[in-house]
Amino acid sequence: MASNRQQTVTVGGHKLRLSNLDKVLFPASGTTKGEVVHYFQTVADAMLPHTRNRPATRKRWPDGVGTEAKPNEPFFRKNLEDSAPAWVPRQELEHSDHSNTYPLANEPAVLAWFGQVGALEVHVPQWRFSKDGEPRNPDRLVLDLDPGPGAELADCAQVARWCREILDEMNLPSVPVTSGSKGIHLYAALNGSYTSEQVSQVAHELAKALEADHPDEVVSDMKKSLRQGKVLIDWSQNNRNKTTIAPYSLRGRPGSAEGPYVAAPRTWEELEDPKLEQLDMHQVMARIAEGTDPLADFTPDDAAGDALPDMKDALSTYRSMRDAAKTPEPVPSGSPASRTEDPIFVVQEHHASALHYDTRLERDGVLVSWAVPKGPPLETGQQRLAVMTEDHPIEYAEFEGTIPKDEYGGGEVTIWDTGTVEIEKWEQAEGSGKVVFVLHGAPDGGLGGVPRRYALVQTDEAGKNWLIRMTKDQPKAQKSSKTTSTPAKSTKRSDKSGASSKTSEFPDPLPSPMLASPGKPTDIRGKGWVLEGKWDGFRAIAGVHADSRVEIRSRNGKDFTQTFPELAEIADLVPPGTVVDGEIVALNSGSRPDFGLLQGRGKLTKTREIEQTAKKIPVHLMLFDVLHTPEHGDLTREPYARRREILEELAGSGKHVQVPGDLGDSVEEAMEVSLELKIEGLVAKRADSPYRAGRRSEDWVKLKHESHADVVIIGWRQGNGGRAKTFGSLLLGMTDDAGELHYAGRVGTGFSDVELTDLRAQLEKLVRKTAPVDDVPAEDSPDATWVTPKLSAEVRHSGVTRDNRLRHPTWRGVRVKNGP
């Protein structure tokens, strides 16, 4: 590659003219443009999944990065260069006052061209373009851990572990990336259900929570004056307009004598290393050659985060003002419920300290509320004061009763009118707001049984005071046919014959599955719940077409049909025209679900490999719902109990397809059974709930087991930064069924500062020269200090690997000391 002459190469079928390949871009290591192009081609397969269909902002150093003493200034480039090859994919992005046309790093040839023009850093947002060229919701959450003056990379690693603990509890497994600069980035996959604003909100709350827990180590504010000796958790990377350096991108810094640094994905085990350092391009290429890519499985369709707790939760203020034990009002514990029905309204006559009429309109899963002292006007042009109050849960639309005198809002509440609402305009910005809507009330309601159009207009900057007026242009009365006296309740079947009140054609494409909300056993109150096992697998919708062709789709629409050919058996068990919902699982030798085995199956793409592996690791489809049959048509509006009845009558059990039963009549009993079966936990479903395709609902609640383990401490690894005088992690042992002690992994999170100091003091008295077990892996033992296994403890974990290592252990506390 040495020569200043131009040469034309072909990369992925595209011709690219390269020049000055021996030009030095990184003087510290002598790295040339040719070597940069070679690097981008080497890592292309690993890098492109994280840049594909994202607008690529480039940071360019046409003359190289220079030296530390005399660095060259780069420039950012958003718009695609005029000189770009015609084959470079591109997409226009509209901004508020201009537009940019960005290149899309979708193929290796684009990365090679980046190297040619000195675009050493590639920065992308957390969202992708859709097929129509529109920005989609983000598909990942990113936290940038940036050490302030006096803090080091090891401190970032500790903060990363604290972040990981919270993300794990949110069902968001994360992967660390040493940034190639000073700090660490954390990536957690999302399912695209939430906006950038919502993701930013949760990231900000996480950062503030860790700052509160670790005020001496963590800061969430960008002010430089606050960052001395601390690690900044930069949550703002999730803003729609922000970008983050792409994994595997080079860094435009002088780098090491060996080569430029890289934003390099790492394993969590590597972050435990007290000598953790940034990686250079040659180290990264060696890792790729060895098959080491911690982000390889970052976004499998069915392993992305189910939900972000409280991300869409507008009810925190409502809950903070009420005690569920003291008021009859509904006080749901989870996030606002998603609904597919027409939006609703309710006006409640509220005899509190002063009579007023609470006017509530459904929007984004909650009832946005105003208190109207004199009630909604009933004459055109008439307007009245409306005071905005906290958002209320959808369930409040059916509430009538007496709120105790000493509680917030104490007094009698009755429904004045209720029905559906048509939102014609909803504009809310800082300092202003206007909502135009039509209410379709009950025939005997306070609105007189006719549709009425209103406008709400904000009158102060704080957004509290509004005016509500009945507009001059009123809708025609015949629209009142849309009214209903019970809008908040789902439509039920109209007969008992088994036929739905409305038939439909076979759904094409297959619908997305209904999703469960995370919850706790205490959320399952009253009767009318069906308690089923929660299987550790891939969610799937399966359909048998009229020609008996089987189609199986993942939760996100990925085609599983060829991946799991043994499941074609379903065509022998249900009639053509049937659509069912279930979970694909792989069972281990103990007939228990093994997600690791299933992931291995899910990665296969070659027909021969799939067929051979299917004989060794067969999968099973556990069915629990039916959405459509040729006899009943669309069943999604039917209550769940009826759908289960139809499913059990319809589907026989085969070799690979089964219909498991429920686990008991009480949560306690069902949880015990699920523990015996060694499955993830329960899914509790309301027997009268309809099927809300593609929506998450509190009608389905998933309850996971929290696994604890008794362990014994066998050693510790040296800490750095704030833990230099205590330890970085503890090495653990567990006894097997034969009573033999073996290595169980290490734990580095969950400790208080007092525990760190106290444990180190206790362990100093137990130091020994050799390991008390003989199966500690080499990577965990070089800097270990061994101790006699006398100190017992308890940890929380997410499972046990095949080699008996604990997954993601978190410290809970010391238990008792063992005898000698």
Side-chain angles (χ1 to χ4, degrees), residues 580-596:
V580 290
D581 185 358
E583 190 95 355
I584 300 174
V585 299
L587 305 180
N588 59 24
S589 57
S591 298
R592 298 294 183 258
D594 188 322
F595 192 71

Side-chain angles (χ1 to χ4, degrees), residues 392-718:
H392 282 51
I394 292 293
E395 296 91 332
Y396 213 95
E398 297 183 0
F399 173 68
E400 289 185 297
T402 302
I403 303 171
K405 181 179 179 180
D406 294 333
E407 294 302 303
Y408 173 76
E412 190 73 21
V413 177
T414 58
I415 294 176
W416 185 77
D417 206 342
T418 184
T420 59
V421 59
E422 292 180 72
I423 305 297
E424 297 183 348
K425 177 185 290 187
W426 196 297
E427 297 177 350
Q428 273 187 279
E430 189 172 349
S432 65
K434 184 174 183 180
V435 181
V436 180
F437 54 97
V438 178
L439 301 182
H440 300 276
D444 56 350
L447 295 175
V450 296
R452 298 184 187 268
R453 179 179 285 111
Y454 291 95
L456 274 160
V457 180
Q458 183 177 331
T459 60
D460 67 351
E461 290 192 4
K464 183 176 182 180
N465 293 320
W466 297 59
L467 288 175
I468 182 172
R469 74 170 185 270
M470 189 169 169
T471 63
K472 293 182 179 180
D473 52 332
Q474 287 297 299
K476 295 181 179 180
Q478 53 262 38
K479 285 190 177 181
S480 62
S481 61
K482 297 175 68 172
T483 62
T484 173
S485 59
T486 55
K489 297 179 180 178
S490 59
T491 303
K492 305 295 181 184
R493 55 187 300 132
S494 58
D495 62 69
K496 300 180 180 180
S497 65
S500 174
S501 59
K502 182 180 179 182
T503 60
S504 66
E505 296 181 358
F506 185 88
D508 191 12
L510 294 179
S512 298
M514 178 175 172
L515 304 176
S517 297
K520 307 181 294 297
T522 52
D523 295 331
I524 312 304
R525 302 171 186 162
K527 298 181 179 180
W529 292 90
V530 179
L531 306 174
E532 301 175 353
K534 186 180 188 306
W535 300 94
D536 191 8
F538 291 166
R539 189 72 177 279
I541 297 290
V544 181
H545 290 259
D547 58 0
S548 296
R549 175 174 58 89
V550 173
E551 180 182 1
I552 304 174
R553 294 281 174 179
S554 77
R555 194 182 74 193
N556 296 323
K558 180 179 179 181
D559 192 345
F560 277 162
T561 312
Q562 303 303 319
T563 307
F564 304 111
E566 61 266 48
L567 300 184
E569 176 190 57
I570 194 170
D572 300 328
L573 304 175
V574 300
T578 299
V579 178
V580 290
D581 185 358
E583 190 95 355
I584 300 174
V585 299
L587 305 180
N588 59 24
S589 57
S591 298
R592 298 294 183 258
D594 188 322
F595 192 71
L597 291 177
L598 184 64
Q599 281 188 312
R601 279 291 309 270
K603 294 176 184 177
L604 302 180
T605 57
K606 297 180 181 179
T607 302
R608 185 178 180 85
E609 277 186 317
I610 291 172
E611 292 176 348
Q612 291 177 340
T613 309
K615 297 176 182 178
K616 301 176 183 177
I617 309 174
V619 299
H620 301 261
L621 178 59
M622 304 298 186
L623 299 180
F624 46 71
D625 214 328
V626 58
L627 315 186
H628 190 280
T629 73
E631 177 185 354
H632 305 90
D634 179 16
L635 286 166
T636 57
R637 289 184 178 272
E638 295 294 314
Y640 180 65
R642 175 57 180 159
R643 299 199 307 274
R644 280 289 303 194
E645 181 183 323
I646 293 173
L647 176 66
E648 291 169 3
E649 292 173 353
L650 187 75
S653 290
K655 184 178 180 182
H656 298 282
V657 180
Q658 288 91 34
V659 182
D662 59 45
L663 300 186
D665 296 326
S666 69
V667 173
E668 294 76 13
E669 177 188 357
M671 290 294 274
E672 287 183 10
V673 173
S674 64
L675 278 172
E676 293 175 4
L677 295 175
K678 296 183 180 180
I679 57 179
E680 274 195 305
L682 299 183
V683 179
K685 302 177 181 179
R686 292 189 185 276
D688 62 352
S689 61
Y691 192 94
R692 298 182 173 95
R695 300 296 184 94
R696 189 174 302 280
S697 171
E698 289 185 343
D699 286 341
W700 289 12
V701 180
K702 55 185 177 182
L703 311 173
K704 287 188 176 183
H705 295 297
E706 185 180 72
S707 298
H708 293 179
D710 292 329
V711 297
V712 63
I713 301 171
I714 63 172
W716 80 78
R717 295 184 66 175
Q718 184 58 41

